[in-house]
Amino acid sequence: MILVTGGAGYIGSHTCIELLNNNFDVLVVDSLDNSSPEALKRVEEITGKSLTFIEGDVRDATLMASLFKDYPINAVIHFAGLKAVGESVAEPLMYYNNNLISTLILCEAMKNASIKNLVFSSSATVYGDPQTLPLTEDMPLSATNPYGRSKLIIEEMLRDLPAADALANGDNNWQVALLRYFNPVGAHPSGKIGEDPSDIPNNLMPFITQTAVGRRKQLAVFGDDYDTIDGTGVRDYIHVVDLAKGHVKAVEKLLSAEGIDGVQAYNLGTGNGVSVLQMVNSFAKENSIEVPYQIVERRPGDVAACYADVTRAQKELNWQAELGLKEMVQDSWNWQSQNPRGYR
Ligand code: NAD
Ligand code: UDP
């Protein structure tokens, strides 16, 4: 059984589908702070399989200990956490409290239960302002905001676990995959589950879809004077279904005889850079719908371009993204147009 923390969220719900489709039993723990139980109902509808859901906070040590006692868990995927960069600047303590303490409590419960197979949701934000592209996993790491710093601190904390284990037991049993996501977009092709931000979206794709559906007047394009193909920011967008499949590959690797040697980071992206205007134009063309936009000032803290070298994930996880820009924009719109107000 796979314990999925934050499994009711955007990436978590898509990952539950892929886990169930690959015959894993799934146990979700989620506080529903930023998600709806409806997402998990729809996961069951889509797959025709059931999962176990416990509503609760990963920072609750008693709850976490009981899960490892009551269920035959053999690996954990840890999605639970807060993820809005701007909010993290305004509320750093809330971000450190949730992201750091949840991971700490989870790892203590794992250690006590001797279940040491972990897949952690990291982010391309740990590369800071990239000096060279594409980004490989061994490039220098830095953070430009409290959200990114929380991911960086967690990565470092996790890197300390194998050595401590070896010291205590003469051998290390921790296997940790740090999955550094680039920019997740898209939705399940059924249109039943997708990204449902509770506030005004910070990210590009939900802003585009909410504009297209009439919830926002127009998209603000943050800067057209970057040194990129058309002056707008370039990112490595990855379809959330591909990303979800990457988690299944990581879990399979952890549970295989070969395993992972201690802690290993993997970039999950497509390796392709796409500009804001390329994304907007592709969305408009493939869905035959206008997306009004206006060029405005750069957003503070944004980098010009960021995209992945995905060789390590290809070689070691036997994973690569299969879906392109067309599926990303079509599936995002399929979800938003069928669910104009998300799960509400
Ligand atoms: P999301 O907000 O949709 O999902 C996170 C889930 O965790 C939510 O369902 C929320 O209710 C739950 N949660 C939060 N704190 C919790 C706690 N203490 N205990 C239990 N549940 C808790 O976010 P997402 O986009 O699915 O992201 C999942 C993970 O991936 C996060 O760790 C995020 O930082 C990371 N990530 C996301 C992106 C992105 O662009 N979406 C990019 C890189 C990394
Ligand atoms: N962006 C934009 N308008 C928006 C949101 C984002 O122009 O309303 C741009 C942003 O400047 C960046 C790209 O879209 O170049 C991706 O931004 P997002 O916040 O989705 O991801 P991140 O910057 O964290 O990679």
Side-chain angles (χ1 to χ4, degrees):
M1 177 175 256
I2 311 300
L3 171 62
V4 183
T5 77
Y10 171 46
I11 306 170
S13 55
H14 287 84
T15 301
C16 287
I17 290 184
E18 300 306 323
L19 287 168
L20 291 169
N21 283 344
N22 282 277
N23 297 318
F24 286 101
D25 292 324
V26 173
L27 168 64
V28 168
V29 60
D30 198 304
S31 61
L32 302 180
D33 271 8
N34 195 39
S35 52
S36 161
E38 179 64 22
L40 294 174
K41 274 199 216 137
R42 296 190 187 181
V43 164
E44 293 185 326
E45 260 171 55
I46 291 167
T47 57
K49 294 184 178 178
S50 54
L51 52 73
T52 307
F53 172 53
I54 308 285
E55 183 175 346
D57 196 302
V58 181
R59 289 168 290 180
D60 180 344
T62 311
L63 170 69
M64 295 313 286
S66 74
L67 295 185
F68 284 97
K69 201 161 77 40
D70 296 345
Y71 296 93
I73 297 166
N74 36 28
V76 180
I77 307 181
H78 181 36
F79 291 109
L82 302 177
K83 62 164 183 177
V85 171
E87 189 183 47
S88 81
V89 176
E91 298 282 354
L93 296 177
M94 186 169 90
Y95 270 66
Y96 290 123
N97 187 308
N98 194 339
N99 293 0
L100 301 186
I101 296 181
S102 67
T103 311
L104 192 69
I105 298 286
L106 170 68
C107 289
E108 282 172 352
M110 292 177 71
K111 176 174 179 260
N112 292 338
S114 293
I115 305 299
K116 299 180 177 175
N117 299 319
L118 175 64
V119 176
F120 173 65
S121 295
S122 189
S123 165
T125 191
V126 299
Y127 294 113
D129 191 353
Q131 299 304 303
T132 39
L133 293 168
L135 287 156
T136 55
E137 288 85 350
D138 50 11
M139 282 182 178
L141 305 180
S142 67
T144 51
N145 55 66
Y147 166 69
R149 201 161 293 114
S150 76
K151 294 290 179 192
L152 209 50
I153 295 170
I154 293 167
E155 282 204 1
E156 286 176 359
M157 179 178 90
L158 295 173
R159 267 188 221 104
D160 286 334
L161 300 183
D165 213 17
L167 202 63
N169 307 321
D171 194 11
N172 164 52
N173 291 315
W174 279 101
Q175 300 191 90
V176 182
L178 308 171
L179 302 186
R180 295 180 181 153
Y181 315 152
F182 279 66
N183 291 59
V185 296
H188 190 267
S190 64
K192 285 179 188 289
I193 63 166
E195 189 170 13
D196 182 24
S198 51
D199 242 324
I200 299 174
N202 295 298
N203 294 115
L204 179 63
M205 186 59 95
F207 212 105
I208 291 178
T209 60
Q210 290 193 9
T211 305
V213 86
R215 281 170 66 180
R216 316 267 158 221
K217 243 173 72 196
Q218 64 178 9
L219 169 75
V221 173
F222 299 139
D224 67 350
D225 56 351
Y226 288 107
D227 183 15
T228 60
I229 180 168
D230 56 20
T232 64
V234 163
R235 297 289 183 277
D236 184 341
Y237 297 94
I238 173 165
H239 197 295
V240 67
V241 171
D242 275 331
L243 191 61
K245 289 180 176 168
H247 291 73
V248 175
K249 291 289 191 184
V251 164
E252 284 172 351
K253 171 94 169 167
L254 296 178
L255 298 178
S256 73
E258 193 191 348
I260 284 181
D261 185 16
V263 180
Q264 186 68 278
Y266 297 97
N267 287 340
L268 298 188
T270 62
N272 303 317
V274 171
S275 77
V276 176
L277 287 183
Q278 286 174 329
M279 182 58 94
V280 170
N281 292 334
S282 164
F283 186 93
K285 178 173 157 260
E286 299 297 344
N287 297 312
S288 308
I289 185 158
E290 282 307 300
V291 182
Y293 70 84
Q294 187 186 8
I295 310 284
V296 301
E297 289 292 289
R298 291 182 178 192
R299 180 172 66 178
D302 270 359
V303 302
C306 175
Y307 49 91
D309 180 312
V310 291
T311 313
R312 184 185 285 171
Q314 279 169 2
K315 278 197 186 141
E316 296 185 19
L317 300 181
N318 189 26
W319 171 90
Q320 67 178 35
E322 285 165 354
L323 302 169
L325 198 54
K326 187 174 168 177
E327 289 90 352
M328 296 182 205
V329 295
Q330 285 180 339
D331 291 336
S332 294
W333 181 233
N334 191 28
W335 151 251
Q336 188 75 79
S337 53
Q338 285 186 50
N339 305 269
R341 307 209 70 80
Y343 293 111
R344 276 142 293 191

